[in-house]
Amino acid sequence: MNKIAAILGLTVTLAAASQAGAATLTFACDSVGQGFNECKKGADAWAKKTGNTVKLIQVPKETDQRLALYQQQLGAKSADVDVYMIDVVWPGLIGQHLADLSKTIPAAEVKAHFPAIVQNNTVNGKLIAMPWFTDAGVLYYRTDLLKKYGYKSAPKTWNELATMAQKIQAGERKKNPKFVGFVFQGKNYEGLTCDALEWISSFGGGSIVDSSGKITVNNPKAVEALRTIQGLVGTVAPAAVTTYGEEEARNVWQAGNAAFMRNWPYAYAAGQAKGSAVAGKIGVAALPAGTGGKPAATLGGWQLAVNAYSKNQKEAADLVRYLTGLQEQKRRAVQASYNPTIASLYKDKDVLKAVPFFGSLYNVFTNAVARPATVTGSKYNQVSDAFSSAVYSVLTKKSAPGPALKTLEGQLARIKGRGW
């Protein structure tokens, strides 16, 4: 068993014994929601088509832990993993260890993807990853409960969400003591960076560090945003929300115990699945706006990359080409509500039938707010850690928003030093 498999646990062989001369690839893919199974389906189809074998390895659910593991492996120039699934904010952190896919994937196929994501994945002129699925935060709501309590549409502002969540929570708790108004990602990790960037941006408070590299996070609108969300914790959001990642929030929601949830699009297919307490009762809307602001959704999404130290470069690039291609992206959109990175699929009848909000919220996905990963480069991880820790101190009532952001400003200045 290779080193990563030993660390991460179960290795699943996806194809029959490899044919003579065929390659055996190791794929570090997904583990959130249905991610592992959907990776398995796609890799299995490619293996059957090519006669190669793919071994899928279990990876940590949290992005921070995945990144640390991958940096350790790549830093050692390990060939253990052939294909990595990488976060949209990682190209500047690990791009030097990844193969240039522009040499193996036809330009016409690359051009079918959203240009901004292709640009994001291009480091020093090299296409170090292919877009696989994009993401933006959305608001899930219970259509049946909004109707029951006299609401005709999803909340447009955070104050409206607080009011609606309070009313629904009070009513539902009469028969379900576990019921809460709102769940989100409040744990101190990259997911909190995503949620908090949405809050601050929706109030007009900027994006932590602006595109010129200036540290902008300490401003009155950002303070107001954090004060607003702090007020939700322990009232309409459970105090335990500060321990929630994506899956913890989804589990509360999918059990029928929340009126609203902030999450990524993957939670839609999971929530509509057989056995879900909320199947047929799910609405999806843009996240609320802050006072005087407009809705904001953090840009997420994942790419597929080939390890530059892989001994199976050609086959690994072919697997990436297949999985990021139109046919497989369509299958994943229809069956598991993963957002395609190929623009034409947002007009595809089968996709829109399966996931109607891909059409109605198209502008949310194409105008999502990017984390300051490009401008901060190799220091992004430190920036994100400092930001999420500051926000976490506010959510857990250990710090007031103003002092927390002032302290954060100083921390970011030290991280920046003479420049990003």
Side-chain angles (χ1 to χ4, degrees), residues 190 192-194 196-198 200-201 205-211 213-219 222 298 369-373 375-376 380 382-388 391 405 408-409 412 420:
E190 186 68 21
L192 179 55
T193 291
C194 293
L197 177 58
E198 290 165 346
I200 289 173
S201 182
S207 57
I208 310 168
V209 177
D210 72 15
S211 58
K214 183 183 176 186
I215 297 163
T216 60
V217 72
N218 184 19
N219 65 77
T298 296
V369 179
R371 286 163 275 177
V375 69
T376 58
Y380 171 72
Q382 293 170 266
V383 170
S384 180
D385 285 347
F387 177 64
S388 66
V391 174
L405 292 183
L408 173 63
E409 184 180 38
L412 295 180
W420 300 114

Side-chain angles (χ1 to χ4, degrees), residues 155-293:
K156 298 287 191 295
T157 67
W158 290 108
N159 287 338
E160 281 181 21
L161 182 141
T163 301
M164 292 166 72
Q166 186 71 57
K167 182 177 179 179
I168 296 170
Q169 177 180 277
E172 292 302 297
R173 278 195 175 169
K174 291 171 185 173
K175 58 186 178 192
N176 178 7
K178 292 181 180 178
F179 196 88
V180 295
F182 179 45
V183 290
F184 57 89
Q185 292 73 53
K187 190 177 185 174
N188 186 4
Y189 76 119
E190 186 68 21
L192 179 55
T193 291
C194 293
D195 285 41
L197 177 58
E198 290 165 346
W199 306 332
I200 289 173
S201 182
S202 76
F203 276 79
S207 57
I208 310 168
V209 177
D210 72 15
S211 58
S212 73
K214 183 183 176 186
I215 297 163
T216 60
V217 72
N218 184 19
N219 65 77
K221 290 179 179 178
V223 170
E224 185 185 356
L226 294 190
R227 187 180 296 119
T228 299
I229 304 301
Q230 184 188 55
L232 301 180
V233 179
T235 54
V236 296
V241 78
T242 57
T243 67
Y244 289 5
E246 285 87 355
E247 287 291 85
E248 290 81 9
R250 183 178 69 84
N251 288 337
V252 172
W253 160 261
Q254 204 164 306
N257 292 329
F260 299 100
M261 172 179 71
R262 183 275 178 205
N263 217 318
W264 306 100
Y266 87 95
Y268 181 78
Q272 295 286 33
K274 189 177 179 182
S276 165
V278 294
K281 305 170 185 174
I282 302 173
V284 185
L287 286 160
T291 309

Side-chain angles (χ1 to χ4, degrees), residues 30-43:
D30 201 356
S31 60
V32 175
Q34 309 164 80
F36 185 84
N37 290 336
E38 292 305 321
C39 288
K40 184 177 183 294
K41 288 177 191 174

Side-chain angles (χ1 to χ4, degrees), residues 294-376:
K294 60 183 182 180
T298 296
L299 176 67
W302 292 81
Q303 339 299 314
L304 293 183
V306 173
N307 181 355
Y309 314 115
S310 165
K311 298 192 169 46
N312 303 295
Q313 299 267 332
K314 182 183 172 189
E315 293 84 0
D318 193 61
L319 173 61
V320 168
R321 182 182 178 188
Y322 175 83
L323 292 174
T324 59
L326 189 132
Q327 178 186 339
E328 177 63 5
Q329 284 212 11
K330 178 174 177 176
R331 183 197 70 74
R332 287 170 57 88
V334 170
Q335 294 183 9
S337 68
Y338 286 102
N339 275 69
T341 59
I342 296 172
S344 62
L345 287 172
Y346 287 86
K347 297 185 176 79
D348 185 286
K349 290 178 183 176
D350 298 328
V351 170
L352 293 178
K353 182 181 178 184
V355 196
F357 71 87
F358 279 3
S360 59
L361 296 184
Y362 179 73
N363 287 339
V364 170
F365 301 121
T366 54
N367 294 307
V369 179
R371 286 163 275 177
T374 302
V375 69
T376 58

